[in-house]
Amino acid sequence: MANRNRAEKPVDYNKKLKIQVSVCKRLLKEVEAYEKEVIYNENRVQKMRDDNKDEYDIRKQEEVLQESYMMIPDSKRRLEAAIEELQSVLDDVQNIPDIDKQIIN
């Protein structure tokens, strides 16, 4: 009930924009990290096969590789959602004069 009498805080678009840009950057790094992890694990499995390692160990490493494969689509989906949200924020701030354009760079 007390919240009804208070005026809403104005939206700090600079802060909102900065947060959304940071989210996109973080998720992009996450996708890149999972892609690197896949390459590393593929090489590791291949090396284990070339060295005739124990089949159990190879299977376990292949399970790790499969988990890495599964993380990439999820990470990309979250990145795409974050980019859509960033576009929405950019649309909101398009005509606001006091937006810090350096945030986007």
Side-chain angles (χ1 to χ4, degrees), residues 35-91:
E35 289 173 342
K36 286 179 184 178
E37 184 177 308
V38 163
I39 292 168
Y40 172 79
N41 285 327
E42 286 173 337
N43 291 335
R44 190 166 180 192
V45 167
Q46 188 58 49
K47 183 170 179 1
M48 290 174 81
R49 285 188 182 129
D50 293 346
D51 294 344
N52 293 320
K53 296 290 182 181
D54 184 59
E55 274 301 312
Y56 176 80
D57 293 335
I58 294 173
R59 276 195 309 270
K60 286 297 174 185
Q61 190 59 45
E62 287 174 335
E63 289 175 15
V64 171
L65 177 59
Q66 289 304 315
E67 289 175 16
S68 297
Y69 281 135
M70 290 187 303
M71 293 307 296
I72 292 174
D74 179 58
S75 296
K76 285 183 177 180
R77 181 189 50 75
R78 289 185 289 124
L79 175 60
E80 289 169 4
I83 290 170
E84 287 176 13
E85 178 63 25
L86 175 59
Q87 185 60 54
S88 174
V89 173
L90 288 170
D91 292 344

Side-chain angles (χ1 to χ4, degrees), residues 13-30:
Y13 284 106
N14 280 320
K15 183 177 181 180
K16 189 173 182 177
L17 185 58
K18 186 175 183 178
I19 289 170
Q20 200 57 42
V21 167
S22 296
V23 167
C24 289
K25 286 180 180 179
R26 178 181 52 82
L27 288 171
L28 181 59
K29 286 180 184 179
E30 183 177 298

